Amino acid sequence: QVQVVESGGGLVQAGGSLRLSCAASGIGSNYAMGWFRQTPGKEREFVATISWTGGTTYYADSVKGRFTISRENAKNTVYLQLNSLKLEDTAVYYCATAPWRGVASIKTLQYDYWGQGTQVTVSP
């Protein structure tokens, strides 16, 4: 049984930091992990992705230089460090898995298993 569970969301002031965690279980090797976010009335937006094997990372331009994706394979866990948070970063953040295809996947349709999301709210 595949499970993807996000945690770490919360309320933080603009300019502050937050770390999100994503624990994935029941999935085999050769897959990537990605973070997406979504606000009401908008489509789910790519944030960052990392290859479970290889360490390749890729970020959306909107978060580049502020967010960092990392992994701890021994725990099957992926993290998203959110720094210098802006009001527009407010969203539900989702973690998802994608079969590794040799290049970063940035489309929602490329991901197969999704977590339920964790809310990040940035206040003034």
Side-chain angles (χ1 to χ4, degrees):
Q1 182 179 9
V2 176
Q3 284 190 311
V4 181
V5 182
E6 307 97 333
S7 62
L11 177 65
V12 62
Q13 283 187 305
S17 298
L18 208 61
R19 189 185 73 167
L20 308 182
S21 298
C22 173
S25 62
I27 193 168
S29 61
N30 198 32
Y31 67 94
M33 302 291 292
W35 287 95
F36 292 76
R37 65 187 183 185
Q38 188 171 26
T39 56
K42 299 180 66 177
E43 293 189 355
R44 197 161 295 186
E45 173 191 20
F46 169 77
V47 175
T49 187
I50 186 169
S51 176
W52 199 267
T53 302
T56 301
T57 61
Y58 188 80
Y59 299 89
D61 289 340
S62 60
V63 306
K64 197 172 299 180
R66 299 188 299 119
F67 293 4
T68 303
I69 190 170
S70 61
R71 66 180 186 271
E72 189 173 351
N73 287 346
K75 297 181 178 180
N76 291 330
T77 302
V78 173
Y79 305 97
L80 186 67
Q81 180 68 42
L82 293 71
N83 295 329
S84 302
L85 283 163
K86 304 175 180 179
L87 295 179
E88 54 263 41
D89 293 321
T90 294
V92 176
Y93 283 71
Y94 296 91
C95 180
T97 69
W100 178 245
R101 61 188 186 94
V103 66
S105 297
I106 63 172
K107 302 293 185 181
T108 58
L109 291 176
Q110 295 173 307
Y111 289 78
D112 45 12
Y113 296 101
W114 294 79
Q116 294 299 307
T118 185
Q119 176 71 48
V120 172
T121 303
V122 183
S123 64

